Amino acid sequence: MIYWYSVIVQTPAHSPLAGLLTYQSEQRLEVGSFVRVPLGSRELMGVVWQKLDSAPEPMFSAQGKEVELKAITAGLGIQAVSTAWLKLVSFTANYYQRSLGEVALAALPPQLRTLDTLQVERRLKRQTERTKPVAATLQNSVNDEIAINSIALQAEQTLATAKISTENGPFLLFGATGSGKTEVYLQAALEALQTDPTAQVLMMVPEINLTPQLEDRVRERICPLYGDAAVVSLHSGMTNPQRLKSWLSAHMGTARVVLGTRMAIFASMPHLKLIVVDEEHDPSYKSQEGARYSARDLAVYRGKLEHAKVILGSATPSFESWHHSTPAADGDSASKGRYVRLTMAERIGGGVLPKVITVNMEHQPKKTVISPPLLNAIAERIAHGEQAMLFLNRRGFAPVLHCGDCGWKSECPHCSAYRVFHKIDRTLRCHHCGFTQRVPRACPACGNLDITTIGRGTEQLEENLADLLAHVKRPDGAPVRISRIDADTTKLKGALQQQLAQVHSGEVDVLVGTQMIAKGHDFRNITLVAAINPDGALFSSDFRAPERLFSLLMQAAGRAGRDASQGAASEMWVQTHHPQHPLYLALKQHDYAGFAAQQLKEREVAMMSPFGYSALVRAEARTQEAAQAFLTAASESAADLADSVPGFEHIIPLITLYPAVPMTIQRIANVERAQMLVESHSRKALQQFLSQWQSILQATKQKGMIRWAVDVDPLAI
Ligand code: ADP
Ligand code: ZN
Ligand code: ZN
């Protein structure tokens, strides 16, 4: 007996093959099973996508000879992925306009591709031997009760937990920083695991390395009940063998909790019952390469698909999630009220949110880095044995080096950007292409010896601060200790953990860094947080810039006063030239809801997300003209779809194609970049349009073009 199957194999991004190839087999195979198949002279891993009912149409070679259908080489001996997983992958490929083969293979651990049947068997055997079955005694329900209830929940936590337990969701857990959201996730996870002996929970975090505490907390609570093998991590910082191991244990159901970053949304979990998306507003949930998927949005989709509950949590939800969780009134847009909003306004232990203080920099001498009142406040904290945290969104010493005589600036020869001056190794480094040179002694254009810096980065801030605090002593009489955390100081593996440990242990008095320090950490002794120069985002052309700044400042404020004993006295300082800006006024009140309402109103008028839908097509070419010409040509051909595709006479009028424009950073590493915005107030129309437009984009030829990509629901425009 012969069977025919279409099999997903890896294909290039825009391949018209879509990654589905037909093979025959003498054995009956389950849809979703893993196989190895021949392709040309190679053998590839594939996933059985569909069983065909009859022999496919014969294919003929160029010489007119019938090509014999190749046979599947072997099965891989791992259980099949679920049909839900296949649906998730195909939805992602369709929605984000990529080929099925690319998305499916990227969603699987890379090492799986390289193993043959025997190797997979060995690995599985090793893994099952190591992960001893969870002893029945561990699952003793009496123990469970004790462990679950060992923490007395706060009233708001109890309410949230009860709603999650009884309603379907999806839930938006809107909880202030330090309100105990993690505890609610853990309760929901424990309940899911208890109710169903096979249940699995997916917990996603933006960046695992920034929140090692969360992993500890999850292990602490889950492992004593379900064994050490019950919790696995899945993120890009892992080696390929580690990833395969985690993936296999999730796939086989041994892992009951998978803790991971955005890629974990594709983890094969046959018994998925709960998905948690912590810090759901975080931009790192949106992939910026390959299929540009949003793991948060896919979480909601996957939850619906698999009847798993979904909890999105944040102190500063994305305005999209906020809107979807706003109770709907009559006549409101249909997307309102789709999520159940759970509010936890109070911090654990009654700690109050820090007092927000703005310093009007208009009243400070020009070039002031740290205003005197802020400096005094920092010195006072140190004298009391407390810690301060200052952040500035720029690393390096100075963003530009400049000659006052001839006007030379440290431009990167390969990018439309300046190279940043790094004093520590006296280099000029391009943060876009990496091009690095030693700092010139004199101006390369005119020979002037007196070249100066413009602006300020974290490296300089650290240096300034050391000078300004030179006279300040810690309570033990020792000089002040300053530590800087940014992408430069944390390049080495383990460096970040070590630096964070120093902050936690109190070795450090002042922590200086980029926004990476403002996220998620549970610092106990930080009582003052300061944003040194956050104004830039107020006047950005990107409509999401205010949302991001507000969220960053709220999150940063949340780092202060987490210990209730100091909570009342903690402060968040903002140095600004625009203290009356509505964003800062809202921040002073910790008024997320007010700020969100104001911003959403503006977006509604402008038909921007979540009221309108958009996609960006980005083109990269040897010249800017070529990049734009490609986009313009594809845009002009789009109108033809109205005549050539049935029904498109109604779709095309719903689509707005904007002119091609250079991207903000127009050139990176000598590649010119342009983009085109596509908008519609109908998501469905936009989707239908994009899927038809794909073939036009594929067919559009332009000399000098390098590559193009579609970004659906782009984060930055
Ligand atoms: P969030 O995630 O909302 O910022 P966390 O879940 O980290 O807040 O909680 C803040 C702190 O309060 C943590 O140290 C946590 O262990 C503690 N905590 C949470 N819930 C409770 C509770 N019900 N009783 C006592 N402490 C709690
Ligand atoms: Zn010069
Ligand atoms: Zn460069």
Side-chain angles (χ1 to χ4, degrees), residues 151-153 157 176 178-183 217 348 524 562:
I151 279 192
L153 293 182
Q157 286 176 317
S179 62
K181 292 186 288 300
T182 312
E183 191 54 44
R217 274 171 77 181
I348 299 291
R524 291 278 122 186
R562 288 176 76 90

Side-chain angles (χ1 to χ4, degrees), residues 545-568:
E547 172 182 347
R548 274 198 301 268
L549 176 62
F550 189 78
S551 152
L552 176 67
L553 294 174
M554 286 276 284
Q555 294 286 340
R559 298 308 116 218
R562 288 176 76 90
D563 204 330
S565 59
Q566 302 140 340

Side-chain angles (χ1 to χ4, degrees), residues 308-569:
K309 290 194 181 183
V310 176
I311 309 174
L312 312 176
S314 177
T316 54
S318 65
F319 290 163
E320 281 83 0
S321 299
W322 184 252
H323 176 72
H324 296 324
S325 68
T326 303
D330 283 348
D332 263 343
S333 75
S335 62
K336 261 194 184 180
R338 272 203 289 144
Y339 302 169
V340 179
R341 187 186 296 166
L342 309 168
T343 304
M344 300 201 304
E346 279 178 31
R347 286 184 131 185
I348 299 291
V352 290
L353 286 166
K355 183 173 176 213
V356 177
I357 300 165
T358 47
V359 181
N360 189 345
M361 297 305 275
E362 293 290 314
H363 300 161
Q364 302 293 329
K366 281 259 172 312
K367 296 203 167 173
T368 300
V369 190
I370 298 170
S371 58
L374 173 57
L375 189 65
N376 288 339
I378 296 170
E380 216 169 283
R381 299 284 160 175
I382 298 168
H384 282 107
E386 296 168 20
Q387 294 171 307
M389 178 175 106
L390 277 62
F391 70 94
L392 177 65
N393 217 5
R394 237 180 205 150
R395 65 196 166 88
F397 191 83
V400 190
L401 205 59
H402 162 247
C403 167
D405 274 7
C406 75
W408 173 85
K409 286 196 175 89
S410 55
E411 266 162 16
C412 174
H414 311 297
C415 306
S416 48
Y418 295 112
R419 277 174 302 162
V420 175
F421 172 39
H422 288 255
K423 194 172 177 183
I424 194 156
D425 54 0
R426 300 210 61 84
T427 54
L428 287 179
R429 269 189 247 161
C430 176
H431 288 181
H432 301 284
C433 73
F435 181 64
T436 303
Q437 279 183 318
R438 285 195 58 80
V439 172
R441 278 180 198 289
C443 169
C446 75
N448 172 21
L449 284 173
D450 189 22
I451 40 181
T452 54
T453 58
I454 302 178
R456 184 167 286 101
T458 44
E459 212 183 307
Q460 190 173 168
L461 181 62
E462 181 187 14
E463 191 178 292
N464 293 152
L465 204 60
D467 288 344
L468 292 167
L469 294 174
H471 63 283
V472 180
K473 296 272 179 288
R474 293 156 55 106
D476 61 5
V480 175
R481 282 175 245 185
I482 301 171
S483 171
R484 171 165 58 93
I485 297 188
D486 57 29
D488 293 324
T489 67
T490 54
K491 255 185 241 139
L492 295 176
K493 205 172 154 63
L496 176 65
Q497 272 65 24
Q498 199 187 339
Q499 283 190 291
L500 291 175
Q502 285 177 348
V503 180
H504 288 294
S505 72
E507 276 171 67
V508 168
D509 304 300
V510 185
L511 177 61
V512 172
T514 48
Q515 59 171 331
M516 74 192 275
I517 58 174
K519 288 183 183 178
H521 306 285
D522 194 358
F523 295 124
R524 291 278 122 186
N525 199 28
I526 287 185
T527 56
L528 184 151
V529 174
I532 299 304
N533 181 17
D535 282 347
L538 296 179
F539 308 102
S540 163
S541 61
D542 183 349
F543 78 94
R544 279 200 180 84
E547 172 182 347
R548 274 198 301 268
L549 176 62
F550 189 78
S551 152
L552 176 67
L553 294 174
M554 286 276 284
Q555 294 286 340
R559 298 308 116 218
R562 288 176 76 90
D563 204 330
S565 59
Q566 302 140 340

